[in-house]
Amino acid sequence: MIKPYQKIFDDALTQLHDEKRYRVFIELERIAGQFPYAIFLDKGQQKKKIINWCSNDYLGMSENKIVLDGLIRAAKIYGAGAGGTRNISGNSSPIIALEKSLADLHQKQSALVFTSGYVSNMATISTIGKILGDCIIFSDSKNHASMIEGINKSGAQKYIFKHNDVAHLRSLLEKSDKDKTKLICFESVYSMDGDTAPIKEIIELAKEFDALTYLDEVHAVGLYGKHGGGISQRDGLNNEIDIIEGTLAKGFGVMGGYIAANKTLIDVIRSYAAGFIFTTALPPAICAAALASINHLKSSQIERDGLYSQSNKTKKALKGIGLPVLETNTHIIALMVGNAQLCKKASDLLLDKHGIYIQPINYPTVSRGEERLRITPSPKHNDEMIDSLADALLDVWIQLDLPLNI
């Protein structure tokens, strides 16, 4: 008798289709030196040049000559792969240099590199929760899935505080057992809404209740702060945060994740976190490319200034024609739709009719009823592209009879 496994899988996919939130990954070929242009392969055959308006390569550093030169030079010296876990194959010189540079970036004693930002969050938070023992973790309600998984894997007691609500966090801390160890997990820039955390106020609460602080700076590193250290660096608070987590794959344009903290905590994670111990290390060439990007952005403000300028211009252009732009104070622009099916239709129309790619954001990434188009301008998106984007979006909004703020 054949067990009904296939039907179970088919039903799971049917549910996604019925709810209009089945994810479609289009085939795109990036063009080195021409970002944000890319080649769209419709059904893998017909090629069409489009403009990508939703990339997390926020500064276009993936095609920066300094970064590419670092990658190529290291690949010729060390080869393509790492050869195994760091326990098996040892530490490459580029990964050691990268961790030193990251520690310096955040003014911490030490840093540890992982294969992705997801893994760094999941492995670090779960390990901290287990090592602390009878621990309580306080998590912002809009924290990333990787942080949520880390909290769940830790086995620790958890409290979820309302998004950016310091008063609610205080109430949860006040009613918790004062003798238990505590960890507060939150982000600096929330990637779907583009808002920022009240970092100073959370730090003050952490000190009052003797809690550790864990700050995810994934959507801020490279982009904010005098040297690209994120929102905490911009606000002069990085020394007040216990653990800073970041990525090498967004503002820095390469791949990988990391944490920065004091030497003891980093050594504990290095020694206990399964997500670090049993994973093949980042290749030396990737580390060299990330190192080149970080070191460049420590001293170069041109890319950040370009990001702020083009982001502000884009917001102004979209608001000026009545499009429902969510108010934010960062580079991320959320264009609210509020319906999964219409959000997908809007994305498809932009691509098919206007040669513009903006991925639809649906549940579970955002709550039902908060579906949106997430737009991420970069220094490489010029004024002409911004004008074309505004015209295209207005055309789509009218065609789909979506509401305008007029």
Side-chain angles (χ1 to χ4, degrees):
M1 183 177 184
I2 300 174
K3 295 185 182 294
Y5 296 133
Q6 187 63 40
K7 185 179 185 305
I8 294 171
F9 297 143
D10 287 340
D11 288 348
L13 291 173
T14 298
Q15 181 179 346
L16 292 179
H17 283 288
D18 289 345
E19 295 176 2
K20 308 301 180 186
R21 60 186 184 91
Y22 178 77
R23 296 172 188 257
V24 177
F25 301 153
I26 72 170
E27 187 172 353
L28 288 178
E29 291 181 352
R30 305 188 78 194
I31 312 168
Q34 296 186 40
F35 181 79
Y37 286 108
I39 300 298
F40 167 49
L41 282 79
D42 189 5
K43 297 181 178 61
Q45 297 173 353
Q46 184 178 355
K47 292 189 176 184
K48 178 181 178 182
K49 195 171 187 179
I50 58 94
I51 297 176
N52 189 337
W53 273 98
C54 59
S55 173
N56 283 341
D57 187 6
Y58 294 131
L59 300 176
M61 290 302 292
S62 66
E63 65 177 33
N64 184 285
K65 186 179 185 304
I66 294 171
V67 176
L68 292 176
D69 286 348
L71 176 79
I72 294 166
R73 184 167 54 250
K76 288 181 178 179
I77 296 172
Y78 303 105
T85 66
R86 292 168 72 171
N87 181 56
I88 290 172
S89 296
N91 286 325
S92 67
S93 295
I95 208 166
I96 292 173
L98 174 59
E99 288 175 342
K100 287 180 179 178
S101 185
L102 287 166
D104 171 73
L105 175 66
H106 295 292
Q107 294 182 286
K108 298 296 182 187
Q109 292 179 344
S110 192
L112 191 67
V113 169
F114 295 78
T115 50
S116 73
Y118 193 103
V119 174
S120 57
N121 267 336
M122 183 272 293
T124 302
I125 294 172
S126 63
T127 302
I128 290 174
K130 290 174 183 176
I131 293 293
L132 289 178
D134 200 8
C135 174
I136 305 173
I137 299 179
F138 300 82
S139 175
D140 188 284
S141 62
K142 290 195 175 181
N143 275 343
H144 190 264
S146 57
M147 300 176 78
I148 295 168
E149 183 173 357
I151 293 168
N152 290 339
K153 283 183 177 292
S154 74
Q157 182 181 0
K158 65 180 178 182
Y159 287 112
I160 311 300
F161 61 92
K162 296 174 185 175
H163 179 53
N164 281 348
D165 192 330
V166 177
H168 188 222
L169 174 58
R170 170 178 283 279
S171 71
L172 295 174
L173 285 162
E174 286 175 340
K175 75 177 185 180
S176 66
D177 188 336
K178 63 178 175 39
D179 293 326
K180 290 187 176 182
T181 57
K182 299 173 180 65
L183 175 68
I184 303 173
C185 298
F186 61 111
E187 302 181 36
S188 62
V189 175
Y190 288 87
S191 62
M192 291 299 117
D193 290 346
D195 57 343
T196 57
I199 300 176
K200 186 174 185 295
E201 291 82 356
I202 291 176
I203 290 172
E204 290 171 353
L205 275 181
K207 289 180 177 179
E208 181 180 345
F209 290 91
D210 195 23
L212 290 171
T213 48
Y214 183 101
L215 178 62
D216 178 318
E217 288 263 29
V218 159
H219 292 274
V221 288
L223 314 180
Y224 300 95
K226 185 178 180 181
H227 304 295
I231 298 292
S232 60
Q233 184 181 85
R234 183 197 70 181
D235 295 347
L237 298 169
N238 46 302
N239 283 328
E240 304 296 317
I241 296 290
D242 293 301
I243 308 110
I244 293 176
E245 186 268 349
T247 185
L248 306 171
K250 293 179 172 62
F252 295 126
V254 190
M255 178 186 176
Y258 66 89
I259 57 168
N262 67 45
K263 287 182 179 179
T264 302
L265 191 143
I266 293 295
D267 200 14
V268 165
I269 302 303
R270 182 192 69 85
S271 302
Y272 282 90
F276 171 81
I277 296 170
F278 299 106
T279 302
T280 297
L282 282 182
I286 294 294
C287 295
L291 177 63
S293 183
I294 292 163
N295 288 344
H296 173 75
L297 289 172
K298 280 182 178 179
S299 59
S300 176
Q301 187 64 28
I302 295 172
E303 292 83 3
R304 287 189 282 274
D305 287 343
L307 174 70
Y308 308 152
S309 173
Q310 298 312 95
S311 177
N312 289 334
K313 286 179 182 177
T314 305
K315 288 179 187 178
K316 184 177 180 180
L318 302 188
K319 289 179 182 178
I321 56 175
L323 290 166
V325 176
L326 193 67
E327 289 295 330
T328 68
N329 57 357
T330 65
H331 60 287
I332 294 168
I333 302 173
L335 195 56
M336 305 306 290
V337 178
N339 178 283
Q341 187 171 8
L342 290 175
C343 196
K344 179 65 167 63
K345 284 184 177 180
S347 176
D348 290 344
L349 275 172
L350 285 168
L351 185 61
D352 296 338
K353 186 176 179 181
H354 299 282
I356 288 172
Y357 174 55
I358 305 175
Q359 180 194 31
I361 305 295
N362 296 325
Y363 178 84
T365 306
V366 294
S367 300
R368 288 186 173 90
E370 294 187 5
E371 293 83 2
R372 66 196 65 186
L373 298 178
R374 177 180 177 273
I375 300 167
T376 53
S378 77
K380 307 281 187 175
H381 289 88
N382 60 38
D383 293 356
E384 182 181 350
M385 291 176 183
I386 293 172
D387 291 339
S388 296
L389 173 68
D391 290 341
L393 283 168
L394 183 58
D395 177 70
V396 167
W397 243 246
I398 292 171
Q399 185 169 338
L400 295 178
D401 196 27
L402 292 168
L404 293 166
N405 294 330
I406 54 176

